[in-house]
Amino acid sequence: MRKTGVFTVVAFVLFSSAFGFAQRAVIPTTTMAMETGNNTSTADSFQGQSNGNATAGNVSKVDIRTLLYPGSTTAIYAHFMPWFGKANHADVGYSTANPNQAAKTVDDMMSRGIQGVIVDWYGRNRTHEDQSTIAIFQEAQKRGFKFAIMEDAGALKADNKTGELIADLIYANQKFQQSSNYMRINGRPVVFFFGVEALPIDWDAVRNQVPGNPLFVFQNSVMFAKSYADGAFSWVGSFGNANDWGQAYLSNFYKTAKNSPKRAVGSVKKGFDDRLAGWGQNRVINQRCGTTWLETFAEVNRNFHAGQQLETLQIVTWNDYEEGTAIEMGIDNCVSVSGSASGDTLSWNISGDQKTIHHFTVFISQDGKNLMSLGAFSSDTRSVDMRKFDMASGAYTVYVKAVGKPSMLNKMSGPIGYTSKAATAVLPPAEPGVPSGAADLAMSLTQTSMEVSRGSSASTTVVMKPSGDFRSKVKLNCGNLPAGVNCSFEASEIVPGKSTISTKLTIKANGDHLATAGKSIGTFAIWMPGLAVCMVMASDRRRGKRLLVALGLATILLFAMGMTGCGGAAKFASDEALASAPSQPGTYTVNVVAQSGSWQKSTSATITIR
């Protein structure tokens, strides 16, 4: 009897799991170290600076494009300084000339939605800076990442500055501009200049002797009026009041740009502080806990829209540690999160500005180290009913993570104790067909067309905007995926609430090597019922009962695994084969589906596999 009773429990667990009767177990999807540790190309040893550059931290990888106006096609570039690792510059824990560091840098930029890099270039004669430029260029070549140079006035030391500039630009044409990844507008390579316009340069001679017919783009709106300039870029702005983030400067630049036929490159920044620079002049523009960053984007949005696009945007800067403009290590939004649990209600509060938070993610854990995400929640959410997650009875630790707006630091709450008292074998309540308080939920993608190289991935952002209080959990998945192409979401379950919320979607195309993980599902489906039969036969000596129970359990397992009368094992094997097969070049339409109960919304993206 004892053996039979034990097996009855095993059979019940298998049966209830198959049909959804059992409560949810914690299956870790991430770790505390991953969710709080340094996830940037900043050196782990970097401990921050008094000019506002934060300690290396956990940075929001929400696509930067979500800060721009809807329908933006603006090309987003980051300005890069290539001189770190030299004795006459700040020690930031890495050398920009190191190819491994270059790989980390491009990885980090791409993970934030940046499309290219503009290198502050010191010409062909500055060894360290040129090696750093080449390292970034070579890494960009591998990734399909855009690249451009900005000739710095500091590169031109010779008496004949025109001749030196011509020699530099001929070198740049041969070294960089032959690449398909080099930044072009209407087929012409773009060359930026920083301070060079103040030098005695014969621009007619430069035009006549430099190959490639490049576009010349200079700093500040006054350059739109110069005959030798093909365009202008905005920079930091004027200095005076440290809390003046430069709206007047940017507004004037954009107004001038819209009235000029020449190329315009806008700018965004987190702030400025050159008091640690050897050349500093005590110039400061305060970060204001991330508000300066958001306001410079807002100024772009006040001047441009889907019908009148800003062609290019430059982030000032990626890694100027000495002038306090670096976003590499993340922007501190001065937010902290605290939470508590009362019964089945998890609640949290923040200190700091809510508008710097993109969304909250709730994690649950049994050991405080290995975490499972319970989904993403809008920035105005402050509590959640834990019963909706149907966790198995027991004690847990819960954490609430405030995910910042793009490139802002994420902040994790301390541990929150929660005890689930869920009853076993009770089905969770069905979600409503139409979420409470909302007529609809609009869904869109920031990029609806992506190119993916085999063995690589590309990302876009799924944006959901409720037309009310959308309080039900929305599950995201992909449909119509071709063989060898997989999709994943930063958060596959979200609760929008009243605010627009977004999550990153990554599309990955397999290379030639087949994945091996999980291929045994079909085999498992075949041998599991046989194993169950053997277990029953070993546990009961009465032959008739033994056979009856074995047949019954086999039927249950076959049905639960989708095999009864429908070829379930073949289906599982086929799904696994499709997911792990090599991807094939071509253009495909992939559906992105959001579902909450019987409510469903979908959109699509065009994926081109190279």
Side-chain angles (χ1 to χ4, degrees):
M1 290 294 291
R2 180 174 297 175
K3 290 182 179 179
T4 301
V6 169
F7 184 73
T8 300
V9 172
V10 172
F12 175 76
V13 170
L14 289 169
F15 178 82
S16 60
S17 296
F19 286 93
F21 294 163
Q23 266 60 53
R24 190 177 186 182
V26 173
I27 302 175
T29 55
T30 184
T31 66
M32 179 61 74
M34 290 176 62
E35 297 299 328
T36 59
N38 178 20
N39 64 347
T40 75
S41 53
T42 312
D44 289 336
S45 60
F46 184 71
Q47 295 300 308
Q49 295 169 299
S50 60
N51 62 0
N53 291 326
T55 301
N58 193 262
V59 172
S60 172
K61 297 301 182 79
V62 173
D63 197 326
I64 286 176
R65 188 171 301 279
T66 60
L67 293 177
L68 290 173
Y69 51 88
S72 163
T73 60
T74 304
I76 303 173
Y77 285 74
H79 189 87
F80 179 82
M81 305 302 183
W83 52 60
F84 292 107
K86 295 183 68 175
N88 61 335
H89 283 278
D91 181 1
V92 300
Y94 64 65
S95 169
T96 50
N98 185 325
N100 292 331
Q101 181 61 37
K104 291 180 181 178
T105 298
V106 174
D107 276 345
D108 195 4
M109 288 182 179
M110 293 181 73
S111 73
R112 304 193 203 184
I114 296 170
Q115 283 91 55
V117 59
I118 300 171
V119 178
D120 194 321
W121 189 52
Y122 272 72
R124 70 202 189 286
N125 292 324
R126 291 279 283 271
T127 303
H128 183 92
E129 286 83 349
D130 195 38
Q131 287 176 345
S132 300
T133 303
I134 291 170
I136 285 287
F137 170 70
Q138 290 177 339
E139 200 60 39
Q141 288 269 84
K142 299 175 186 177
R143 316 290 187 85
F145 194 62
K146 295 299 181 182
F147 173 92
I149 59 163
M150 180 181 288
E151 175 103 4
D152 197 292
L156 304 176
K157 300 295 185 183
D159 291 338
N160 181 4
K161 298 192 185 307
T162 297
E164 190 173 20
L165 177 60
I166 290 171
D168 275 354
L169 295 184
I170 291 174
Y171 171 91
N173 174 266
Q174 296 170 344
K175 192 73 176 180
F176 306 122
Q177 292 167 11
Q178 304 306 310
S179 168
S180 60
N181 289 330
Y182 193 88
M183 180 183 181
R184 284 179 170 76
I185 295 178
N186 292 337
R188 298 173 64 186
V190 181
V191 177
F192 296 87
F193 297 96
F194 192 88
V196 178
E197 68 278 2
L199 302 178
I201 302 292
D202 181 347
W203 289 103
D204 287 336
V206 175
R207 286 285 186 194
N208 291 332
Q209 297 182 47
V210 171
N213 192 26
L215 290 166
F216 290 167
V217 181
F218 297 84
Q219 182 184 357
N220 294 329
S221 61
V222 295
M223 300 307 295
F224 285 116
K226 302 296 182 179
S227 60
Y228 56 84
D230 297 303
F233 64 90
S234 58
W235 196 244
V236 173
S238 57
F239 299 94
N241 182 345
N243 285 322
D244 179 2
W245 53 269
Q247 182 175 15
Y249 166 84
L250 289 171
S251 177
N252 176 69
F253 180 88
Y254 295 136
K255 180 179 179 180
T256 307
K258 288 189 290 186
N259 290 314
S260 171
K262 297 183 177 182
R263 302 298 172 181
V265 180
S267 65
V268 290
K269 62 180 180 290
K270 75 171 186 182
F272 185 96
D273 187 334
D274 69 357
R275 287 176 290 184
L276 294 182
W279 57 89
Q281 301 175 33
N282 294 320
R283 297 170 295 178
V284 178
I285 297 174
N286 288 332
Q287 296 183 33
R288 300 181 298 142
C289 295
T291 303
T292 295
W293 175 248
L294 298 180
E295 289 284 10
T296 54
F297 277 96
E299 191 61 31
V300 173
N301 299 339
R302 278 188 281 269
N303 286 276
F304 299 93
H305 49 80
Q308 185 175 19
Q309 297 276 353
L310 174 63
E311 191 170 39
T312 310
L313 180 68
Q314 181 176 205
I315 297 170
V316 182
T317 63
W318 177 259
N319 67 331
D320 195 338
Y321 287 78
E322 292 161 321
E323 291 188 347
T325 59
I327 70 160
E328 182 177 23
M329 74 295 294
I331 304 163
D332 192 357
N333 58 5
C334 312
V335 164
S336 63
V337 188
S338 59
S340 62
S342 176
D344 288 304
T345 300
L346 173 69
S347 303
W348 61 88
N349 290 297
I350 65 164
S351 64
D353 193 340
Q354 178 180 311
K355 74 172 179 284
T356 66
I357 297 173
H358 185 268
H359 67 270
F360 294 99
T361 300
V362 176
F363 296 97
I364 193 165
S365 176
Q366 290 178 308
D367 60 6
K369 298 179 181 179
N370 298 289
L371 314 178
M372 181 176 76
S373 171
L374 295 179
F377 300 83
S378 63
S379 61
D380 57 1
T381 303
R382 291 296 181 271
S383 66
V384 63
D385 185 347
M386 295 294 289
R387 290 177 296 180
K388 69 167 60 180
F389 305 115
D390 196 36
M391 300 305 301
S393 297
Y396 301 92
T397 302
V398 179
Y399 300 89
V400 179
K401 183 176 184 178
V403 178
K405 290 285 181 70
S407 280
M408 291 189 178
L409 291 175
N410 301 322
K411 304 295 177 65
M412 185 76 85
S413 74
I416 304 165
Y418 166 67
T419 300
S420 173
K421 298 180 180 179
T424 59
V426 176
L427 286 171
E431 291 179 326
V434 178
S436 174
D440 202 358
L441 179 67
M443 183 170 70
S444 62
L445 302 175
T446 55
Q447 290 180 266
T448 57
S449 180
M450 292 181 283
E451 290 191 0
V452 189
S453 298
R454 298 178 74 209
S456 301
S457 62
S459 298
T460 183
T461 300
V462 185
V463 180
M464 281 152 286
K465 184 176 182 180
S467 57
D469 189 0
F470 202 113
R471 288 174 284 171
S472 293
K473 180 166 59 179
V474 177
K475 298 179 181 179
L476 297 170
N477 58 74
C478 295
N480 202 35
L481 286 169
V485 177
N486 299 278
C487 84
S488 61
F489 298 87
E490 182 182 37
S492 60
E493 296 182 354
I494 64 171
V495 180
K498 299 178 181 178
S499 302
T500 299
I501 191 168
S502 62
T503 185
K504 179 184 284 189
L505 164 62
T506 299
I507 300 289
K508 183 175 182 180
N510 293 340
D512 290 329
H513 298 289
L514 300 184
T516 57
K519 285 192 173 184
S520 61
I521 292 180
T523 303
F524 176 84
I526 293 170
W527 61 252
M528 184 62 194
L531 176 61
V533 172
C534 294
M535 291 172 64
V536 175
M537 293 178 71
S539 65
D540 196 316
R541 297 180 181 177
R542 288 169 292 181
R543 186 176 183 87
K545 184 176 181 180
R546 178 169 68 222
L547 180 59
L548 180 61
V549 173
L551 289 173
L553 182 56
T555 301
I556 290 170
L557 287 168
L558 286 168
F559 180 80
M561 299 178 77
M563 296 176 63
T564 303
C566 63
K571 179 180 184 298
F572 283 146
S574 176
D575 287 347
E576 287 295 304
L578 286 172
S580 59
S583 58
Q584 299 300 316
T587 299
Y588 306 91
T589 299
V590 173
N591 297 326
V592 182
V593 181
Q595 190 167 10
S596 180
S598 60
W599 176 93
Q600 183 171 295
K601 183 78 71 173
S602 66
T603 187
S604 62
T606 301
I607 311 298
T608 301
I609 300 173
R610 301 295 186 189

